[in-house]
Structure formats: C-alpha cells, structure tokens
C-alpha cells in the first residue's frame, strides 16, 4: 500500500496540492485524471520520492518495491536492452553484476567463495535464474523482437526505447507500479498487450493516461485531481464521468428546491413581518431562512476547446487516387507498391505497427515528400490540411501565436484570428506568446487552429492526440465525427479510432496494405479470429504426430 498523508505541495506561492489524504491499496488499478496543469505527473513524482512535499508525507508498506516508468529515453544508451530491463529490479541487477565480477577473478579467494554463495542464495530468492526469460517475455509482448534483446539501447529508435523502459518498469513483479502516459508511442498491439498485463497484475497500479479506452479497460478506481484536492471514485473513467455529472445534477436540483423554499419564506416574511398577528410566524420563518445553505457547486477546472472543422467547399465524387506508390528510406522500402482510392464519405484510420510507413504516406499526400515510384492525384474540388507527427519545424521561429496563425489565415484580421485561438483556449493575452516556448499540448492546439482556419475538406492527421489532455482529445474526437469531409488519420487512441473511422487500412510490416471497409472493433475482432484460425492450423493432427 502507498498513501499520501496531509500532503501539500507548493510551487512558489501557489499550492498545487493542499492537505491531500488518499490511500492506494493492493490489487487495484487507479487512473489518475485531471486537467492539464492539475498536477498529475507532479503527484506521481511526489509518490515516487522524486519530489519532496512542502508538508505531509508519503508512506509505503515496509519491504514493498516501487517501480516507475522513466521518461528519459537516453539514460540507458550505453547498456544492453536486456540489462536495462533487468535494472527494473535494481537489487537483482546489482547481485548479478557482483556475481559476474567475482567469478571473473583470476585469484578467486575463500572470501570470494563465501560472498558468491551468499549472492547465489539471494539471486535464487529473487527468481534470478528466470530473469532473462521473464525480461524477454515482456519485451516480446511489447513488440521488441528477440534479435534486439542484446543490442545496445543506443541502437534502438525512439518508440523501441519507450517499450524497453516500459518493460523495465513492469519487470520483477513490483509491489507498486507508477505509470505516466504508458501508451504514448506504443502501437495498438503493444497497447492491447499492456491492457491484458495490467488487468492480470495483482499489485497496486497508479496510472496517468489520456487514453479513455485504456483507462476504462484497466482501472478499478479513478482518482480525480481538481482544485488541489484528489477525490477517489470506485470504478473506471466512464463511471467517474457519469458519477461526477450525476453529482452535479443532484446538487443543482437540491439547490433549486432550496431556492424555491427561500423564495417562499422571503415572500411570507415580506408580506407578514409588519402584521402583529403574523409576526411570530414571520420571525420563525426568518430563522428557518437563515439556516438554509445552498451547496457550493464549483465548476470543474477542466476546459474543453471548441473544435469545429468547416469545409469552405463541398467535396466532389473524385477525392484521391493512389496508384503504385513506393518509397525507400535509408535503404528500407517502407511503402511498397500501394494503391487505393478514397470516396467522399471516407474517414480512414491507418493502423499497424509500421509507424514510419504511415508517416511517410501522409508526408507524400501532403506534398512534403516525393515518392520513388507511383502517382497520386487529389480531386479538383479537394483542399487539404495536414497535421504532422513531428511539428518541430512549424514552431522554430520568433512569431507570436497571433502572427503565426495570421500567416495561414485567408482573412488578415487580428480579431478573426484571435477568435480561432480563443476557441482553442488561448485567451487574448496569450496571443503575444512566442510559439517556440509553447508546451507540446499548446503546439497541438495551434496546429488544430491552423487546420480549422484553412477551411479544408480533406484532413490528414498523424497521431493528433499525442500531448493532448483528455478534454482536448474528446473535443477533437467530436470534431472529427461531425466533420463533413474526408479524413485520413493514424491514432493510438482506441475510442478515437472506433468512433471516427468507417474504413481501416492496415500497413503490413513489408510496406504493403490491407484495405477493409469496417469499423475498428470489427477489424480487431476479425484479426483476432484470423490469429486463432492460424494457431489451430499450426497444431499437428494425431496422424501427423504419428
């Protein structure tokens, strides 16, 4: 068990948390939710001991081991992948290395033998003989192939490093597991594997995530951060949302009845306070009036942006024709002879583990990269807006937010532009902020403003939910659902894909595609059924065994 006891944490004069008391118990998975800036990641750091509280303390059951998903993707570059994962249990790793050093000695002494014996006993108690097998199972489950298990971390790409660090956090059955955005940069297969792992995990989990489907699937409880307090709810994210909305509704209804009673008493007092025969009753009602207290209903600190993509022109029947596209990057053919045609009502989710293939296709269709072979043609009635996965180049300048968006606006009017920024939660004074100093979430909201102001009827999104809080993801999800145009997108948010897409194009590992007119859940169900059939087909019959 891990608990916060009267925890207060201040940044300067501002109290981010004020006298928080909460217990996280064994066998439960807690989703830690709250608006951007509410302090979710900060609270995880306080629980882990990475940050000191201003007041109060964190208590952990003696002898329990706490594990944290680390965010520094370069910290272990000099180490092999396998070693990095086993470092998840630092004591086990230290024992392994000390054993190796002793056995490597040329002048092995009696003292070395005694020490080695002690280490062997401790090693066996920590299940050390199965350490590499257990680490390999985690790596394989998250999609790191066996041939990379003994590579150096520096040889891995960014997404692979994220998976290794996640395997490190999960390794060795920790008693308390703290996960900050564990699904970021994971492909859908890895997310599904992680969901099953956490569902079957028997110890304590506290997780921060903007993936609503993920939270609904793995969480037994929801811890909501709002106004410097943390309120605990039994149930997953959807249960929290329904409960919180119901609570507000009940408080409003109770207040309405109280307001009616107050009005009734006030009318009686005003009518009869001067009447001698009714004065006692008026005085009695006045005392009753003074006792009535309205419940204070604070509006949530959460703020939802207003995302509304309105195409300036209705799209025609000819949208996009792709024929024989191929592209090789650094000697690897990431797109191999793909062809497809878009219809005017298509909202297409591009899925599969080949992340580079999706990004490459989107760059080609957005005109930012040339194919090696093949052609593509947008219809004459179409106009495109593109959301890149890597937006670094977009904001590498000295423009203010207002000037930056003005450069993309068809209407060169400050008031017009600030209207779009206001919808995306940038108040007037934020318009003078430099774009280069914006946070990841703020940059994403700027890019969404740019897409809205363009009036395009074909939208291309490459992982748009990265860096967004739950409220912004919900707003974007609703905006895409309402959009009367064509959408091409990749996204790791299950609920976003399921509710937005009516067509799935899967990129295979070899750069080819499989095109299916289906919803995402139907696609997953068919894919799972195909895997089961393949497993059955691989099992030899009795005659074959004989």
């Amino acid at each position: 068990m891990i608990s916060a006891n009267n925890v207060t944490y201040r940044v300067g004069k501002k109290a981010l948390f004020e006298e928080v008391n909460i217990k996280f118990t064994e066998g439960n998975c807690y989703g830690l939710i709250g608006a951007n800036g509410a302090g979710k990641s900060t609270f995880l750091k306080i629980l882990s001991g990475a940050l000191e509280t201003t007041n109060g303390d964190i208590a952990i059951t003696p002898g329990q081991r706490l594990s944290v998903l680390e965010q520094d993707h370069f910290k272990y570059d000099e180490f092999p992948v396998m070693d990095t994962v086993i470092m998840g249990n630092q004591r086990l790793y230290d024992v392994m290395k000390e054993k190796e050093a002793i056995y490597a000695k040329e002048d092995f002494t009696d003292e070395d033998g005694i020490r080695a014996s002690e280490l062997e006993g401790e090693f066996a108690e920590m299940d050390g003989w199965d350490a590499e097998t257990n680490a390999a199972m985690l790596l394989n489950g998250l999609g790191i192939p066996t041939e990379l298990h003994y590579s150096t971390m520096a040889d891995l790409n960014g997404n692979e490093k994220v998976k290794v660090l996640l395997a490190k956090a999960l390794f060795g059955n920790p008693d308390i597991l703290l996960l900050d955005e564990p699904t970021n940069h994971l492909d859908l297969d890895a997310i599904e594997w992680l969901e099953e792992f956490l569902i079957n995990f028997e110890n304590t989990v506290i997780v921060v995530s903007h993936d609503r489907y993920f939270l609904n699937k793995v969480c037994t409880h929801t811890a909501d951060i709002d106004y410097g307090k943390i309120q605990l709810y039994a149930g997953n994210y959807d249960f929290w949302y329904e409960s919180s909305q119901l609570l507000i509704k009940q408080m409003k209804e109770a207040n309405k009845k109280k307001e009616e009673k107050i009005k009734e008493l006030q009318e009686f007092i005003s009518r009869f306070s001067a009447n001698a025969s009714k004065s006692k009753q008026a005085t009695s009602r006045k005392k009753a009036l003074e006792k009535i207290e309205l419940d204070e209903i604070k509006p949530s600190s959460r703020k939802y942006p207003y995302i509304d993509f309105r195409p300036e022109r209705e799209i025609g029947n000819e949208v996009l024709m792709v024929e024989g596209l191929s592209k090789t990057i650094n000697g690897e053919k990431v797109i191999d002879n793909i062809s497809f045609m878009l219809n005017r009502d298509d909202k297409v989710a591009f899925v599969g583990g080949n992340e580079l293939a999706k990004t490459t296709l989107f760059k080609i269709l957005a005109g930012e990269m040339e194919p090696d072979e093949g052609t593509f043609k947008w219809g004459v009635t179409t106009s495109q807006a593109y959301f890149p996965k890597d937006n670094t180049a977009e904001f590498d300048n000295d423009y203010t937010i207002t000037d930056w968006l003005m450069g993309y606006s068809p209407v060169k009017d400050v008031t017009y532009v600030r209207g779009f920024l206001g919808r995306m939660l940038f108040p007037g004074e934020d318009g003078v902020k430099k774009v280069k100093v914006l946070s990841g979430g703020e940059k994403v909201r700027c890019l969404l403003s740019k897409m809205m102001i363009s009036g395009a009827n074909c939208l291309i999104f490459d992982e748009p939910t990265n860096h967004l809080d739950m409220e912004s993801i919900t707003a974007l999800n609703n905006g895409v659902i309402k959009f009367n145009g064509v959408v091409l997108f990749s996204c790791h948010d299950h609920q976003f894909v399921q509710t937005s897409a009516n067509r799935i194009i899967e990129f295979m590992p070899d750069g080819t595609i499989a095109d299916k007119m289906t919803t995402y859940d139907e696609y997953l169900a068919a894919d799972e059924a195909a895997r089961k059939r393949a497993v059955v087909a691989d099992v030899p019959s009795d005659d074959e065994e004989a």
Side-chain angles (χ1 to χ4, degrees):
M1 184 184 76
I2 183 170
S3 61
N5 305 310
N6 294 316
V7 165
T8 296
Y9 181 76
R10 296 183 183 277
V11 180
K13 294 182 178 180
K14 179 184 178 183
L16 197 56
F17 302 109
E18 195 80 54
E19 296 184 354
V20 168
N21 290 282
I22 189 168
K23 290 182 180 179
F24 303 98
T25 56
E26 184 178 345
N28 293 319
C29 179
Y30 299 85
L32 189 61
I33 65 171
N36 265 7
K40 300 183 294 294
S41 296
T42 300
F43 190 68
L44 284 189
K45 289 177 182 177
I46 290 171
L47 292 176
S48 71
L51 286 177
E52 291 286 335
T53 62
T54 306
N55 290 304
D57 62 84
I58 302 299
I60 298 177
T61 302
Q64 291 200 335
R65 184 169 69 85
L66 183 146
S67 185
V68 179
L69 173 59
E70 297 182 74
Q71 305 296 322
D72 184 352
H73 300 165
F74 305 99
K75 182 177 179 180
Y76 300 94
D77 272 3
E78 63 186 277
F79 294 96
V81 168
M82 184 62 69
D83 280 21
T84 302
V85 176
I86 295 174
M87 283 183 207
N89 186 338
Q90 189 62 48
R91 179 56 191 161
L92 173 60
Y93 181 76
D94 292 342
V95 168
M96 288 177 60
K97 290 306 171 184
E98 188 176 350
K99 272 178 43 181
E100 291 174 8
I102 290 174
Y103 291 138
K105 285 185 174 182
E106 294 183 2
D107 53 342
F108 192 87
T109 65
D110 290 343
E111 288 78 8
D112 290 331
I114 294 171
R115 180 58 179 159
S117 177
E118 293 171 348
L119 291 171
E120 290 290 3
E122 189 176 356
F123 184 72
E125 286 180 5
M126 292 188 289
D127 200 21
W129 296 112
D130 292 325
E132 291 197 7
T133 300
N134 293 335
M137 290 174 62
L138 292 172
L139 290 168
N140 288 331
L142 288 167
I144 301 295
T146 304
E147 58 267 24
L148 293 180
H149 291 188
Y150 293 91
S151 300
T152 303
M153 285 287 285
D155 296 332
L156 272 57
N157 64 38
N159 288 352
E160 289 167 341
K161 287 181 180 180
V162 169
K163 291 180 178 181
V164 175
L165 290 178
L166 181 54
K168 175 181 180 291
L170 303 178
F171 177 77
N173 195 36
D175 300 291
I176 301 163
L177 183 57
L178 307 182
L179 302 175
D180 193 355
E181 298 293 354
T183 62
N184 275 5
H185 309 294
L186 292 188
D187 55 77
L188 293 165
D189 286 340
I191 292 174
E192 185 177 354
W193 179 90
L194 178 61
E195 289 168 353
E196 291 303 314
F197 181 94
L198 294 179
I199 288 169
N200 295 309
F201 188 71
E202 296 181 350
N203 297 330
T204 304
V205 183
I206 306 171
V207 58
V208 171
S209 176
H210 292 144
D211 189 327
R212 298 158 294 171
Y213 181 88
F214 177 79
L215 290 177
N216 280 330
K217 194 157 186 185
V218 305
C219 291
T220 60
H221 294 71
T222 300
D224 178 34
I225 302 178
D226 213 351
Y227 295 104
K229 302 292 183 181
I230 302 181
Q231 180 70 39
L232 192 61
Y233 295 80
N236 61 15
Y237 176 79
D238 278 352
F239 183 85
W240 162 81
Y241 183 79
E242 294 296 333
S243 298
S244 61
Q245 295 303 304
L246 179 61
L247 183 61
I248 292 173
K249 181 180 178 182
Q250 289 174 339
M251 290 176 71
K252 286 181 177 178
E253 289 175 350
N255 276 359
K256 185 177 180 181
K257 290 180 181 178
K258 290 178 183 178
E259 287 169 351
E260 290 172 354
K261 183 66 175 177
I262 288 170
K263 185 178 179 181
E264 177 186 324
L265 291 172
Q266 286 175 334
E267 287 177 352
F268 183 90
I269 292 166
S270 63
R271 284 170 56 200
F272 297 109
S273 58
N275 187 322
S277 64
K278 300 282 188 179
S279 61
K280 285 186 178 181
Q281 289 177 297
T283 301
S284 174
R285 281 166 172 72
K286 189 173 182 181
K287 289 179 180 179
L289 177 61
E290 291 171 351
K291 292 179 181 179
I292 297 177
E293 293 182 3
L294 294 179
D295 294 321
E296 183 182 5
I297 304 175
K298 286 186 178 180
S300 172
S301 60
R302 292 170 173 82
K303 295 181 180 179
Y304 290 82
Y306 178 71
I307 298 178
D308 187 20
F309 302 104
R310 296 185 181 181
E312 288 186 354
R313 182 177 185 180
E314 186 177 351
I315 203 165
N317 291 323
E318 294 184 3
V319 181
L320 174 66
M321 176 73 73
V322 175
E323 294 184 344
L325 276 191
S326 294
K327 183 67 178 181
T328 298
I329 297 177
N330 296 328
E332 177 186 356
K333 190 167 247 187
V334 295
I335 296 179
D336 188 9
N337 192 32
I338 68 169
S339 301
F340 62 90
M341 184 174 69
L342 290 188
N343 304 308
R344 61 182 298 173
D345 297 321
D346 283 345
K347 291 181 179 177
V348 189
F350 288 79
V351 302
N354 196 338
E355 301 292 319
L356 182 57
K358 289 178 267 187
T359 295
T360 300
L361 174 64
F362 292 159
K363 284 184 176 180
I364 290 172
L365 296 180
E368 294 195 356
M369 182 182 287
E370 291 292 328
D372 296 333
E373 300 172 24
T375 60
F376 71 95
K377 183 180 179 182
W378 289 100
V380 293
T381 62
T382 66
S383 55
Q384 301 81 41
Y386 170 52
F387 181 103
K389 180 187 289 188
D390 182 2
N391 58 42
T392 306
E394 283 272 8
F395 300 101
D396 187 18
N397 55 69
D398 287 319
Y399 290 128
T400 64
I401 299 177
T402 302
D403 289 341
W404 178 86
L405 187 58
M406 184 80 77
Y408 298 105
S409 175
V411 179
K412 304 303 179 184
D413 177 73
V414 172
T415 303
Y416 179 79
V417 169
R418 284 184 175 171
F420 280 88
L421 292 174
R423 296 178 194 173
M424 298 306 294
L425 308 181
F426 292 107
E429 61 270 19
D430 276 1
V432 298
K433 285 174 69 173
K434 301 282 189 180
V435 293
K436 64 168 57 174
V437 303
L438 297 178
S439 68
E442 288 173 328
K443 288 178 179 177
V444 169
R445 285 188 274 123
C446 278
L447 288 173
L448 295 174
S449 299
K450 172 188 170 185
M451 296 182 78
M452 284 194 292
I453 212 167
S454 72
N457 53 25
C458 295
L459 307 179
I460 305 172
F461 294 102
D462 194 357
E463 299 297 343
T465 60
N466 288 353
H467 306 293
L468 287 182
D469 59 19
M470 202 103 62
E471 293 71 42
S472 296
I473 291 172
T474 300
L476 175 59
N477 194 172
N478 292 336
V480 170
I481 291 170
K482 291 188 300 181
F483 177 61
N484 187 26
V486 168
V487 184
L488 299 83
F489 70 96
S490 66
C491 180
H492 291 154
D493 185 300
H494 184 116
Q495 190 166 333
F496 190 103
V497 180
Q498 168 60 19
T499 56
S500 300
N502 58 17
R503 180 176 175 182
I504 305 293
I505 293 182
E506 180 182 5
F507 262 108
M508 303 303 183
D510 61 0
T512 59
I513 61 171
D515 191 352
K516 301 168 185 178
M517 297 296 297
T518 182
T519 67
Y520 183 56
D521 282 347
E522 290 168 345
Y523 153 78
L524 289 178
D527 187 53
E528 181 63 23
R531 289 182 190 178
K532 289 180 179 178
R533 287 195 297 270
V535 170
V536 171
D538 285 342
V539 176
S541 65
D542 292 340
D543 292 340
E544 289 173 325
E545 289 180 342

